[in-house]
Amino acid sequence: MDSDEEDFVFYGTPIEREDDITTSRKKKSVAEASGQLRTLAPWKQEVRDEEGRRRFHGAFSGGFSAGYYNTVGSKEGWTPQSFVSSRKNRSEVKQQDILNFLDEDEKAELEGQSLGTSSQFDTFGITAADHARKHAEKEQQKRPSAIPGPVPDELVLPAADSIGVKLLLKMGWRRGRSIKDSHANVAYDARREARKAFLAFSSIDAKSLPADSEPVHDKPENYIEQPASNDVQSSQNTPVYVLYPKQDLHGLGFDPFKHAPEFRERKRSRVSENRGLANKSSLLTNNNLFGFKSGKLAPGFGIGALEEFDAEDEDVYASGYDFEETYVEDIDEPTRSIMDSKEKSVQKEPGALSGFKLASNSDYQLERFDPPVVPKEFVPHHNFPGPPETSYKLGDPGPPEVPPPQDNNLKVLIDGVATLVARCGKLFEDLSREKNQSNPLFSFLVGGNGHDYYARKLWEEQQKRGDQTKLHLDGKLSPRTQKMTSESRGKILGERPLERSSKDSSTSIASADIHLQYNLSDTFTDPSLYSEMPVVAKPFMNDPAKQERFEQFLKEKYQGGLRSTESGRASHMSEAARARERLDFETAAEAIKKGKWSKEISTSLTGGMEFTSGGFVQAKDTRAEDAIPKEVHVKRTEYQWRPSPILCKRFDLIDPYMGKPPPAPRMKSKMDTLIFTSDSVKATKEEETIIVKRDSYHMPQPEAGGVSKDVADNESGGEVEVENVERPVDLYKAIFSDDSDDEEDTSIPNEVSNPEKKVDAANTTLNRLIAGDFLESLGKELGLEVPPELPSSTNKSRTSAPLKETANANSRLYSTYPVEDKPSSTLDVPHSRESAQDGTYEKREPANGNLMGARSNSKHAETYLGNQFDNINSEKGPLEDRKFKTPSRRHRSLSSSSSSEDERSRKRRRHRHRHSDSDSDSLSDHRDRYHSRSKGRKKGSSREKSSSSRKHSKHHKRRSRESPSRYDYSPEKERTETKRDKHQRRD
Amino acid sequence: MSVSDLPKKESNILKGHEGAVLAARFNSDGNYCLSCGKDRTIRLWNPHRGIHIKTYKSHGREVRDVHVTSDNSKLCSGGGDRQIFYWDVASGRVIRKFRGHDGGVNAVKFNEYSSVVVSAGYDQSLRAWDCRSQSTEPIQVIDSFTDSVMSVCLTKTEIIGGSVDGTVRTFDIRIGRELSDDLGQPVNCISMSNDGNCILASCLDSTIRLLDRSSAELLQEYKGHTCKSYKLDCCLTNTDAHVIGGSEDGSIFFWDLVDASVVSSFQAHSAVVTSVSYHPKDNCMISSSVDSTIRVWKT
């Protein structure tokens, strides 16, 4: 502290030391003089003299504080003790004893009458010791103990030997020794000597009377000798304290034979049979030490019952006094002298029963087998099993190669099923077999037509998967997947995984046993793979439409999100054809995926495929350059995050969620984590892909359809991609909750097609669509036929198709920015008048418009303004809002989506005007509007569309299937072309 | 600031720690510095005079990070014992202990008003602790990270955390948003530029990356040093002209902020340079190292 103080001096004023006695004393006296201390409670006051010293009343008259802190009062003040009625306390009078009233001498006299051990005859000093101990105990009780609760001395009583043992000890008997051994042996020896002498003496007389009597005498001797030495053995043992030691695994006190006592005997006999040998030997070797367990452990110093024994716990104190050795010698000495060789062998060989010895040659011959010959090509390297189903069949040659069935459809179906089975495991096969029992198409599962081919195919697939997992393990992964997770790192470091972490990221692996979840995880992104997808060959070159659908399929497959059942343009196909095509795609995609891992697999696959291995060579080359990404691009994702009110308060900020209801308890189901993790993973991968593509690819995108559109969109959007991860929640709700629940949630797309339609009806339809699509895709995943939903009203779905999209986009953006009403006034006002039903709503509109004017100035300001505005709106509640104003809201959503997009890409601001104009112009005609919108979007704002269509592509797909004419080719193509244009321009 | 102004001359060695020094930080005015290390102590120094002022002992394990309030009255520190200690600077007493992290605490920071301590933990979470109330429960737990959170930065309205999962996440309290910027590489340490527009993120692939905060654009990458297995700090000079980073071979690197060229590098310590901290106003820098010294560098 001294050295510290000198450092304190040079900067600022020195800190006063509180324990500086003189100053504080002075201070106190001064303070007292000024009367400050008088205000203190009496027990806090100190009486001091003029120099500030405390007044000392004398050691025997109170010390520093006489009376009650130098007062005559008490803590309660100067009040007299209040009267306590004995009426209530009467019963509490203690039971009185005669001893309470006796004097000491009287007590002593009284004690003389009671019976006790006189100290005169306390031969061993036991009584005295006992007395002293009791006395000490009493003392102990009077004194306060450091350890609360019962005094340890009470718990740990010295083990009292019985008086018999004590007497024996006094007589020279030592523990472990037979009581009679020495005497018996002495007697026996004496007798034996006598007998010899007698024999020698009597040998002169041939077989006279003593010879007759000898055996009679001798036999019992011999007979006795044996048990006597056995007795030595048994007497060495610890007295059996526990008659029936607990040896079963039942709970304490549980008696399995309670109601069936007849089995107890059986059990006991059986157990004793089994145990006979080992028990005996253990008794012999171990238990002859009284109290001490053999082993090197110190007898209970500093080792808790729950602690594990470490190396350092071992034998810390024991070296000083080795109980075991001294004791063992003590015991063995006498025994050895009397034991014959047989007995010794018993002790040495614990396997033999006492009284028996081990046979020197047994007829039991130990059969020896040569170790199996290790094949030369065997690599002593453990392959960790990947998915349980895939690894087990790797070794066998598999079923013979079978020509595919004639029916091409059947072949494709079999291929697809085999792929799925290989991926999802045997469970899938069982399931689909069960489901399709009646379906003749699936007869190959149960051994019908094409079963051989199926078996072969399945084996091939499993082989492939096995190879893949092997490659995984060999570390030939892309650098992306090699990134250490916290789990793997922890494993390397030998750390115990945190609970949460292991829960979170292992879901996709651990859920393999749960079929539904497996499928779900399949549905979402497969990381590392999509990055290579852009360079895939085109398996369906000869059929451009099919190729396009395939690419659409790929996009959906690897970009995550729910898989749609079919692509949008395949609406002319029948349900069965679509399912078959889907399986086809699945196989192709699988094959392409495999093609990345090893080339020969892809070539072996070509039997069922329509592409050549040449395409893969090319793919590989491009991938090689891709392997070194020039730079890492940062992927931005935005989530909703709710700071706690107190945090906002401490940061001196206004809670952005003020007034909002507390967040719904987050779903903790596995489903939830599954969805969330896979989604975020997906987002990253997407970006990755794009980067790779941009670096390496300069030619037009191989995918003509949705993929390239999406890619271009992403590129136009720049690095900043705003993602919303709330969607899975909606999905969850849509599937598992009632329609009525959705009305509470603002992020649920609550849009209506026509103003005259009932809102609720539309909502229901939407939810049914969502749920239906989801279930259908699940069904497809399982290879099951899901009956197509009856198109309730073509007209409705037709009109609602684009609207829903936009509304979805709206809801997405809405939850991205907490801004509900951000329309441009020019857009909104006319329309809201058109179908105005609510005055208050209209009133709010101009305000919004004003707000909008200010918005373009500052990006941040607008967000916060909008944010505030949102707060205002939130009071109105989304529900009434929706009910009143759905149509106008829909258009607002349009504009708001585009405007928020505008925020994100300032460079495109100049297109902004045209865009909104085109929107507002075509409000009356939905179809027109749609076209113009796509046109207006051409220059770069197609992003919102694509994101919405990607996100909710399944609705859109579904809808378009139901209304074939709705979604014609041209706008799509047009967009694609513009995308290409733009892409090239960019490059 | 020209290159010659970079603090490259050793002015003082602060010795006293036993074992590795894990972090060294200037206080807000740069007159003092704090260090913490494997020896479970926090030490207060005057780096300019090279004197050891005070030692704060209470941690049960290594102290990984320490931060002092802007008024120099309170300290917070966190370490391997999973606790955050809230200290009174003058008396050296622990005012409060915040328990709740399920793993070691990698970084701690006060907010602007010194009313909240935000800690980053190995348990993949950021936790905010209230210094004003008696409660020792976290007032906010942010657990959206998927791996150990290594570093935390606070602005007036935001909490920024860098994690081994490769993300730098910005939690904007004002609008209730989480912005997750995925760098793709484990992020060791983040530090904010003095103008508050950029984030410097030291990644485990021996690269320091400069990130634009508003657009999440990767502005620059700084390479040349070694950072593969340790948590190495990086920082910007007080003029934001240069980037400073330690290396695992004991050298310190200076990069030009704009063109990412290594302006200077010199052998500063004999072992891993765990932390660098730049003076808020002067051309002065402190560095701490596993070799148990803290060195003060001046021009």
Side-chain angles (χ1 to χ4, degrees):
Chain A
M1 260 332 230
D2 285 351
S3 65
D4 292 352
E5 206 167 25
E6 68 179 52
D7 291 327
F8 276 125
V9 173
F10 62 84
Y11 191 76
T13 52
I15 296 165
E16 274 181 34
R17 300 280 299 272
E18 283 184 5
D19 51 348
D20 200 339
I21 295 163
T22 51
T23 49
S24 70
R25 212 188 253 168
K26 283 259 168 58
K27 252 191 187 170
K28 285 222 170 128
S29 62
V30 169
E32 199 189 19
S34 64
Q36 276 180 0
L37 285 180
R38 298 252 170 77
T39 55
L40 286 175
W43 57 89
K44 285 185 180 168
Q45 290 178 8
E46 284 173 349
V47 183
R48 291 170 190 283
D49 58 12
E50 305 78 45
E51 279 147 30
R53 289 181 300 225
R54 296 181 72 183
R55 181 179 294 161
F56 190 63
H57 298 271
F60 297 104
S61 49
F64 281 115
S65 69
Y68 179 75
Y69 298 100
N70 298 313
T71 68
V72 291
S74 64
K75 194 174 182 181
E76 293 80 25
W78 210 1
T79 50
Q81 282 274 331
S82 56
F83 169 74
V84 179
S85 165
S86 65
R87 227 172 133 183
K88 284 174 190 165
N89 297 342
R90 198 175 288 162
S91 58
E92 288 172 19
V93 172
K94 277 183 189 167
Q95 190 67 43
Q96 284 177 336
D97 198 7
I98 189 168
L99 287 170
N100 292 357
F101 303 100
L102 290 180
D103 291 338
E104 287 302 312
D105 53 335
E106 282 172 328
K107 271 185 198 164
E109 200 180 329
L110 200 72
E111 244 166 49
Q113 294 173 358
S114 65
L115 204 61
T117 325
S118 165
S119 58
Q120 276 182 345
F121 303 104
D122 189 10
T123 324
F124 312 133
I126 297 166
T127 320
D130 208 39
H131 196 71
R133 197 171 54 77
K134 277 185 181 159
H135 191 69
E137 241 173 58
K138 272 183 198 162
E139 294 272 288
Q140 188 77 35
Q141 278 172 357
K142 281 176 196 163
R143 271 183 276 124
S145 172
I147 305 166
V151 190
D153 274 356
E154 287 171 349
L155 298 173
V156 189
L157 283 176
D161 283 345
S162 69
I163 190 70
V165 173
K166 284 173 189 165
L167 280 171
L168 274 171
L169 280 168
K170 285 287 167 188
M171 289 162 68
W173 172 80
R174 272 178 289 171
R175 288 172 200 269
R177 209 182 270 194
S178 165
I179 294 169
K180 63 178 178 181
D181 54 356
S182 58
H183 312 283
N185 281 320
V186 166
Y188 171 69
D189 285 346
R191 268 201 299 275
R192 194 174 161 123
E193 290 305 309
R195 199 165 59 231
K196 277 179 187 166
F198 180 74
L199 276 174
F201 176 73
S202 61
S203 61
I204 304 161
D205 315 318
K207 279 90 186 175
S208 60
L209 183 131
D212 290 338
S213 65
E214 244 272 333
V216 181
H217 183 239
D218 207 0
K219 259 174 201 159
E221 276 299 325
N222 273 334
Y223 181 70
I224 284 163
E225 186 195 7
Q226 202 64 30
S229 44
N230 273 344
D231 201 1
V232 173
Q233 289 290 316
S234 56
S235 70
Q236 284 180 10
N237 300 340
T238 334
V240 185
Y241 290 117
V242 184
L243 272 180
Y244 300 107
K246 182 169 158 44
Q247 281 164 330
D248 51 14
L249 298 174
H250 303 297
L252 263 186
F254 173 74
D255 185 6
F257 305 109
K258 193 176 175 187
H259 298 298
E262 57 269 22
F263 290 106
R264 179 173 289 142
E265 281 310 309
R266 274 186 69 128
K267 167 90 175 173
R268 194 175 295 157
S269 64
R270 206 173 59 219
V271 165
S272 62
E273 246 170 56
N274 290 340
R275 214 179 47 211
L277 303 174
N279 198 27
K280 193 82 176 178
S281 65
S282 73
L283 277 174
L284 284 174
T285 51
N286 286 340
N287 289 356
N288 50 5
L289 302 177
F290 287 85
F292 295 114
K293 280 193 175 159
S294 63
K296 289 266 186 178
L297 295 171
F301 288 106
I303 295 161
L306 298 174
E307 283 177 49
E308 286 174 310
F309 287 118
D310 289 337
E312 58 197 38
D313 291 330
E314 226 169 57
D315 198 20
V316 183
Y317 303 102
S319 57
Y321 40 99
D322 202 332
F323 300 102
E324 189 174 12
E325 269 177 21
T326 55
Y327 225 104
V328 165
E329 264 172 19
D330 216 12
I331 295 156
D332 280 357
E333 209 60 61
T335 352
R336 214 170 283 152
S337 62
I338 50 154
M339 266 197 294
D340 53 18
S341 62
K342 191 167 74 181
E343 232 91 60
K344 277 178 188 163
S345 76
V346 167
Q347 235 183 358
K348 276 184 187 141
E349 287 171 292
L353 281 170
S354 70
F356 292 88
K357 69 169 192 168
L358 288 180
S360 53
N361 57 337
S362 69
D363 43 12
Y364 169 71
Q365 206 76 33
L366 193 69
E367 261 186 293
R368 287 192 171 276
F369 299 96
D370 288 333
V373 181
V374 180
K376 277 204 179 91
E377 61 270 19
F378 174 72
V379 185
H381 189 275
H382 184 65
N383 272 338
F384 290 98
E389 294 291 332
T390 58
S391 55
Y392 72 101
K393 270 184 180 171
L394 290 182
D396 60 7
E401 190 89 57
V402 178
Q406 300 302 317
D407 184 5
N408 195 45
N409 287 341
L410 183 59
K411 184 182 86 71
V412 168
L413 187 66
I414 289 173
D415 286 356
V417 170
T419 314
L420 283 172
V421 167
R423 253 174 56 190
C424 307
K426 195 83 179 148
L427 193 65
F428 174 79
E429 189 187 316
D430 297 341
L431 209 85
S432 44
R433 187 183 295 143
E434 198 181 299
K435 296 267 159 131
N436 295 297
Q437 264 169 345
S438 55
N439 195 338
L441 212 55
F442 281 87
S443 63
F444 63 86
L445 284 174
V446 289
N449 183 22
H451 180 68
D452 292 341
Y453 179 69
Y454 169 71
R456 172 69 193 176
K457 206 69 204 165
L458 181 61
W459 177 77
E460 272 179 14
E461 291 293 339
Q462 277 166 345
Q463 284 287 78
K464 268 181 276 163
R465 288 196 73 77
D467 283 357
Q468 195 186 353
T469 47
K470 205 173 84 186
L471 282 167
H472 265 277
L473 290 167
D474 286 352
K476 289 176 187 167
L477 297 172
S478 64
R480 164 83 11 198
T481 45
Q482 258 181 339
K483 203 177 87 180
M484 267 190 179
T485 63
S486 57
E487 275 73 35
S488 61
R489 178 163 44 78
K491 234 171 262 166
I492 290 165
L493 295 172
E495 285 168 336
R496 212 172 36 190
L498 287 172
E499 274 176 59
R500 196 172 71 84
S501 65
S502 57
K503 228 189 303 168
D504 275 353
S505 51
S506 62
T507 38
S508 54
I509 305 147
S511 58
D513 49 341
I514 303 163
H515 200 69
L516 174 73
Q517 292 198 352
Y518 193 91
N519 281 325
L520 261 182
S521 73
D522 251 4
T523 312
F524 291 100
T525 310
D526 202 346
S528 83
L529 284 167
Y530 186 61
S531 56
E532 278 99 17
M533 272 306 159
V535 295
V536 296
K538 298 180 181 175
F540 309 105
M541 283 286 214
N542 45 5
D543 185 355
K546 200 178 178 187
Q547 171 68 22
E548 207 158 69
R549 284 198 299 274
F550 175 60
E551 274 153 7
Q552 176 73 19
F553 164 82
L554 276 185
K555 191 194 96 188
E556 282 155 15
K557 182 178 165 80
Y558 293 112
Q559 280 189 338
L562 272 185
R563 243 178 264 180
S564 67
T565 47
E566 66 287 307
S567 76
R569 277 138 281 143
S571 38
H572 58 277
M573 297 170 80
S574 76
E575 186 71 34
R578 229 178 284 124
R580 227 167 287 131
E581 191 180 77
R582 188 186 158 75
L583 285 173
D584 203 349
F585 286 166
E586 193 78 45
T587 326
E590 198 70 11
I592 287 162
K593 197 159 78 176
K594 297 293 151 41
K596 297 204 171 53
W597 300 113
S598 63
K599 194 184 154 198
E600 64 267 352
I601 287 166
S602 70
T603 48
S604 79
L605 235 175
T606 43
M609 293 294 102
E610 294 172 61
F611 51 78
T612 60
S613 62
F616 284 103
V617 179
Q618 189 199 348
K620 276 197 162 182
D621 291 344
T622 47
R623 211 162 52 80
E625 353 173 320
D626 294 350
I628 317 140
K630 291 222 177 88
E631 49 182 332
V632 181
H633 282 256
V634 181
K635 156 87 184 153
R636 173 162 279 192
T637 324
E638 191 164 342
Y639 306 90
Q640 201 156 355
W641 173 66
R642 186 169 180 144
S644 67
I646 181 83
L647 187 74
C648 300
K649 196 179 160 195
R650 291 283 179 256
F651 272 77
D652 206 9
L653 297 169
I654 298 161
D655 186 357
Y657 291 81
M658 194 165 46
K660 299 263 177 76
R666 280 177 70 182
M667 289 174 296
K668 289 295 176 193
S669 68
K670 282 180 189 168
M671 187 93 152
D672 181 40
T673 51
L674 190 77
I675 291 169
F676 266 90
T677 47
S678 53
D679 207 11
S680 58
V681 166
K682 170 213 72 180
T684 334
K685 298 308 159 200
E686 243 170 62
E687 180 69 16
E688 190 79 352
T689 321
I690 290 143
I691 292 147
V692 165
K693 222 184 278 172
R694 198 185 296 167
D695 287 342
S696 62
Y697 243 80
H698 292 265
M699 43 185 193
Q701 299 298 313
E703 303 99 321
V707 178
S708 74
K709 178 188 74 184
D710 185 48
V711 163
D713 289 344
N714 269 321
E715 285 182 353
S716 67
E719 272 82 31
V720 193
E721 163 106 358
V722 180
E723 287 271 350
N724 177 30
V725 195
E726 300 248 307
R727 182 183 46 76
V729 184
D730 300 350
L731 162 77
Y732 190 87
K733 278 201 133 184
I735 297 162
F736 296 107
S737 70
D738 273 348
D739 302 336
S740 54
D741 293 352
D742 297 338
E743 298 180 357
E744 312 301 324
D745 196 338
T746 48
S747 60
I748 281 284
N750 36 21
E751 72 295 317
V752 193
S753 53
N754 292 324
E756 63 268 27
K757 285 268 187 317
K758 274 282 190 189
V759 173
D760 289 347
N763 239 352
T764 316
T765 319
L766 174 73
N767 286 329
R768 206 183 301 138
L769 283 173
I770 295 169
D773 265 19
F774 174 71
L775 290 176
E776 193 169 4
S777 67
L778 265 186
K780 284 285 142 49
E781 187 74 5
L782 294 167
L784 315 175
E785 295 277 341
V786 177
E789 199 181 278
L790 291 171
S792 53
S793 77
T794 333
N795 183 32
K796 193 177 100 184
S797 63
R798 178 184 300 171
T799 45
S800 68
L803 301 184
K804 273 175 184 161
E805 265 166 36
T806 56
N808 286 344
N810 172 34
S811 75
R812 185 177 66 85
L813 285 159
Y814 166 63
S815 47
T816 306
Y817 299 94
V819 184
E820 196 180 22
D821 297 306
K822 296 206 293 183
S824 60
S825 58
T826 56
L827 228 171
D828 232 328
V829 175
H831 191 80
S832 62
R833 287 222 182 93
E834 179 180 303
S835 54
Q837 292 161 3
D838 180 31
T840 60
Y841 193 79
E842 248 182 6
K843 262 182 227 161
R844 214 158 60 215
E845 289 300 330
N848 288 347
N850 292 340
L851 200 69
M852 283 310 298
R855 180 194 289 161
S856 54
N857 295 335
S858 142
K859 203 167 92 176
H860 283 290
E862 89 194 47
T863 330
Y864 299 135
L865 278 172
N867 185 21
Q868 282 172 358
F869 203 76
D870 182 40
N871 285 340
I872 297 162
N873 281 347
S874 66
E875 290 162 20
K876 302 269 177 191
L879 196 129
E880 60 165 4
D881 215 17
R882 186 174 54 73
K883 273 186 180 157
F884 292 146
K885 263 298 115 163
T886 24
S888 72
R889 184 192 165 87
R890 184 235 309 155
H891 289 290
R892 269 189 294 122
S893 75
L894 246 183
S895 57
S896 80
S897 64
S898 49
S899 60
S900 59
E901 185 185 33
D902 187 38
E903 293 166 29
R904 268 174 277 130
S905 55
R906 268 169 282 177
K907 57 187 171 190
R908 280 176 289 156
R909 188 166 285 156
R910 58 176 179 277
H911 303 298
R912 170 84 195 82
H913 233 68
R914 186 144 60 94
H915 179 189
S916 54
D917 284 350
S918 66
D919 274 352
S920 53
D921 286 343
S922 54
L923 282 174
S924 50
D925 187 351
H926 288 305
R927 189 167 299 220
D928 275 355
R929 187 182 55 74
Y930 183 72
H931 278 270
S932 68
R933 195 154 64 92
S934 65
K935 249 178 243 161
R937 210 183 272 132
K938 251 191 252 172
K939 280 283 151 54
S941 59
S942 54
R943 204 160 158 276
E944 81 180 69
K945 166 72 185 81
S946 86
S947 52
S948 70
S949 73
R950 190 178 68 239
K951 294 261 156 201
H952 303 275
S953 49
K954 60 188 176 53
H955 321 289
H956 149 217
K957 293 295 137 44
R958 171 83 186 189
R959 266 177 260 114
S960 44
R961 180 165 51 84
E962 282 165 8
S963 52
S965 63
R966 170 74 218 97
Y967 206 92
D968 50 342
Y969 235 111
S970 57
E972 193 69 24
K973 228 173 210 165
E974 184 182 297
R975 208 174 308 144
T976 315
E977 277 164 18
T978 52
K979 263 350 95 53
R980 273 186 194 158
D981 271 351
K982 210 163 65 62
H983 192 76
Q984 277 168 347
R985 214 177 52 220
R986 228 166 203 273
D987 294 338
Chain B
M1 192 174 75
S2 71
V3 177
S4 60
D5 288 338
L6 287 174
K8 286 184 283 190
K9 254 183 282 176
E10 185 179 311
S11 115
N12 272 315
I13 302 186
L14 310 177
K15 281 184 181 166
H17 273 289
E18 293 153 24
V21 188
L22 296 178
R25 310 259 183 264
F26 271 113
N27 75 335
S28 54
D29 60 4
N31 284 323
Y32 296 96
C33 75
L34 284 160
S35 65
C36 56
K38 282 267 200 191
D39 59 356
R40 301 180 284 185
T41 62
I42 301 154
R43 283 161 200 261
L44 175 65
W45 312 81
N46 185 320
H48 308 292
R49 291 174 39 158
I51 352 177
H52 173 219
I53 299 169
K54 206 165 175 62
T55 305
Y56 301 89
K57 289 182 190 168
S58 240
H59 271 287
R61 291 216 183 178
E62 83 273 9
V63 191
R64 295 197 193 148
D65 196 10
V66 63
H67 193 228
V68 64
T69 58
S70 47
D71 62 354
N72 295 333
S73 65
K74 302 286 191 296
L75 289 181
C76 65
S77 63
D81 55 2
R82 304 174 178 195
Q83 301 182 31
I84 293 103
F85 282 46
Y86 180 55
W87 305 79
D88 182 44
V89 171
S91 68
R93 275 195 297 249
V94 177
I95 301 169
R96 215 152 287 154
K97 296 177 186 177
F98 300 115
R99 296 187 186 88
H101 272 292
D102 299 330
V105 181
N106 288 323
V108 286
K109 282 279 187 303
F110 277 112
N111 71 337
E112 196 204 6
Y113 307 107
S114 310
S115 56
V116 173
V117 174
V118 180
S119 61
Y122 180 77
D123 60 350
Q124 318 181 353
S125 71
L126 280 174
R127 278 158 206 258
W129 311 86
D130 191 359
C131 298
R132 297 241 169 108
S133 77
Q134 292 293 319
S135 160
T136 54
E137 292 294 307
I139 54 175
Q140 176 94 47
V141 178
I142 301 167
D143 51 3
S144 58
F145 293 95
T146 56
D147 207 335
S148 171
V149 191
M150 295 305 284
S151 185
V152 64
C153 272
L154 298 184
T155 66
K156 284 184 185 179
T157 60
E158 289 147 311
I159 301 171
I160 308 161
S163 165
V164 181
D165 65 6
T167 58
V168 173
R169 289 171 202 249
T170 309
F171 300 89
D172 195 325
I173 302 166
R174 190 156 47 160
I175 58 172
R177 289 282 147 202
E178 172 191 348
L179 295 171
S180 167
D181 301 337
D182 193 355
L183 293 171
Q185 290 294 334
V187 176
N188 244 340
C189 168
I190 54 170
S191 77
M192 203 154 48
S193 64
N194 294 298
D195 61 3
N197 288 334
C198 298
I199 284 272
L200 201 62
S202 164
C203 297
L204 266 188
D205 57 347
S206 295
T207 311
I208 296 176
R209 296 189 164 86
L210 187 70
L211 214 66
D212 183 55
R213 283 188 54 212
S214 54
S215 67
E217 204 178 337
L218 186 66
L219 298 176
Q220 199 50 272
E221 292 189 335
Y222 307 96
K223 291 180 181 174
H225 65 302
T226 324
C227 175
K228 285 184 161 37
S229 45
Y230 292 92
K231 177 187 189 304
L232 303 188
D233 280 3
C234 57
C235 66
L236 286 153
T237 58
N238 51 27
T239 54
D240 280 347
H242 293 97
V243 173
I244 308 170
S247 175
E248 285 176 14
D249 56 8
S251 52
I252 292 178
F253 281 72
F254 291 93
W255 291 272
D256 189 272
L257 181 88
V258 180
D259 58 10
S261 58
V262 178
V263 173
S264 171
S265 75
F266 58 92
Q267 190 73 25
H269 289 271
S270 59
V272 181
V273 180
T274 52
S275 173
V276 284
S277 175
Y278 206 85
H279 195 281
K281 289 186 280 293
D282 301 339
N283 288 330
C284 177
M285 176 181 77
I286 50 170
S287 62
S288 67
S289 165
V290 172
D291 64 8
S292 82
T293 61
I294 300 141
R295 285 167 207 250
V296 186
W297 307 88
K298 289 188 177 171
T299 47

